[in-house]
Amino acid sequence: MPKKPLRKVVFPAAGMGTRFLPATKAIPKEMLTIVDKPLIQYGVEESLASSMDEILIITGRGKNTIEDHFDISAELERNLLAVGKEKMFKKISRISRMANIAYVRQKQALGLGHAVLCAAPWIGDEPFGVQLADELILGKEPAMQQLRTVHEATGASVIGLVEVASSDVHKYGIVKAKQEGDLLRLDSMIEKPSADYAPSNLAIVGRYIFTPTLFEKLKDTKPSINGEIQLTDAMNQLAHEEAVYGVVLTGQRFDAGNPEGFLAANAILGLQHPDYAPALTLLLANILAKN
Ligand code: UTP
């Protein structure tokens, strides 16, 4: 049983987005659009649907448009009303009022672990969520809610997982786990192993709930060879000290932080969107018929 309620969630968004250059040279990766909304909005909506309404976004240089997106744009709202665009007005004003969002700046991109550590004063002594907005996970039950269910039953840290092909394990943090009743308990995790060394096919995909003990582990974590403080290193230390569980997530998942996953997300979600599906389906059918 958790000692304190889970209310807070952190979105690290201060990375360089190198896999998506040049698109991310001047635009934050988190502001790339899937169909008609930026990635970070999907993320915030998932947190809210999982009853986490205190949100902290870790930003860095060149990330101001994230703050603008969630800010009230009085002029835009007035103009939309003046020209009778009530429906769009409602959509736009909802974005700026959907959540209480705070921002902390990570002055140097010293790694995901360092970005999470920047949240420590804001979190205090409470359990908290961490979400990576470029991992888009959509389904009946929000991914963070799936983690919350296990956290509420155990009071422990919980990590979101998906099964990946052996040929893809080298792209992910991969866990070693064992069944403990209905739960999957994590022994350890390894960053980007080759297929020969991977302890399983279960990959970590940007959804976490942590007890505040993680901060102690992050403070003790030394930078890795590339100079970054790795979240995975601190998670390994945490798993030595307390129970850490894994949840194999249900839902559609897209790694939208690289062009391939981003294009797949736009194509598939576009084909599912009631406003755009009819025309898009026709267009794609025509293209395929010609090829
Ligand atoms: P990634 O490993 O995806 O790095 O970081 P990245 O810089 O965003 O993208 P690539 O790999 O260079 O293309 C995972 C998450 O951690 C955040 C990123 O913004 C992303 O949400 N992050 C990473 C930080 O906030 N600070 C950092 O120093 C590094």
Side-chain angles (χ1 to χ4, degrees):
M1 280 289 150
K3 292 189 196 104
K4 297 200 174 153
L6 176 63
R7 306 171 300 148
K8 295 181 176 175
V9 63
V10 180
F11 283 86
M16 306 264 190
T18 52
R19 285 171 300 156
F20 220 135
L21 285 167
T24 46
K25 186 172 174 228
I27 296 169
K29 178 169 72 172
E30 297 73 18
M31 287 301 292
L32 294 174
T33 299
I34 307 293
V35 185
D36 58 357
K37 282 190 289 194
L39 281 164
I40 190 81
Q41 189 180 333
Y42 285 92
V44 167
E45 286 171 352
E46 181 188 321
S47 312
L48 297 177
S50 310
S51 311
M52 276 174 251
D53 60 0
E54 290 189 36
I55 292 166
L56 180 72
I57 302 181
I58 309 292
T59 65
R61 210 180 314 278
K63 301 279 181 167
N64 295 350
T65 50
I66 299 179
E67 291 184 49
D68 291 344
H69 183 70
F70 290 107
D71 201 3
I72 293 176
S73 173
E75 193 187 350
L76 175 64
E77 292 186 9
R78 263 198 314 277
N79 284 344
L80 289 171
L81 281 179
V83 295
K85 295 196 167 173
E86 296 271 341
K87 206 171 149 197
M88 189 50 79
F89 164 78
K90 280 193 186 137
K91 229 181 190 179
I92 294 300
S93 64
R94 189 183 74 87
I95 297 169
S96 27
R97 291 162 180 89
M98 64 168 66
N100 254 336
I101 304 184
Y103 299 89
V104 164
R105 196 138 162 149
Q106 185 190 24
K107 290 183 187 160
Q108 278 179 291
L110 296 177
L112 174 57
H114 181 263
V116 173
L117 191 54
C118 291
W122 184 81
I123 298 284
D125 187 27
E126 294 183 26
F128 63 100
V130 174
Q131 263 180 262
L132 305 188
D134 60 339
E135 285 282 358
L136 185 58
I137 307 175
L138 296 168
K140 259 201 215 137
E141 188 179 16
M144 286 304 278
Q145 179 59 44
Q146 296 176 47
L147 267 60
R148 173 187 273 282
T149 303
V150 176
H151 171 74
E152 286 181 346
T154 60
S157 298
V158 188
I159 313 298
L161 305 170
V162 298
E163 205 165 322
V164 296
S166 296
S167 52
D168 282 339
V169 289
H170 66 280
K171 298 179 188 163
Y172 296 93
I174 299 292
V175 301
K176 182 171 178 214
K178 60 173 180 292
Q179 207 66 37
E180 192 181 87
D182 288 346
L183 300 170
L184 197 59
R185 181 154 175 175
L186 305 189
D187 269 352
S188 58
M189 30 240 113
I190 169 169
E191 216 27 80
K192 303 186 172 69
S194 66
D196 292 343
Y197 286 97
S200 74
N201 280 23
L202 294 174
I204 299 172
V205 281
R207 296 294 182 279
Y208 317 80
I209 290 172
F210 292 117
T211 63
T213 317
L214 180 83
F215 292 128
E216 291 166 26
K217 303 301 164 204
L218 278 171
K219 280 178 197 150
D220 291 342
T221 301
K222 301 269 174 298
S224 63
I225 293 173
N226 65 3
E228 294 195 346
I229 295 181
Q230 303 284 354
L231 181 61
T232 314
D233 290 345
M235 282 162 55
N236 262 317
Q237 293 309 315
L238 186 68
H240 283 151
E241 189 166 314
E242 342 179 306
V244 176
Y245 294 103
V247 171
V248 180
L249 296 167
T250 60
Q252 284 179 296
R253 170 195 164 249
F254 305 96
D255 177 4
N258 70 66
E260 199 182 320
F262 170 85
L263 290 170
N266 269 304
I268 292 170
L269 298 179
L271 287 169
Q272 292 170 1
H273 193 290
D275 292 348
Y276 312 120
L280 190 58
T281 309
L282 203 62
L283 177 76
L284 290 178
N286 281 339
I287 293 172
L288 291 174
K290 280 184 196 150
N291 285 317

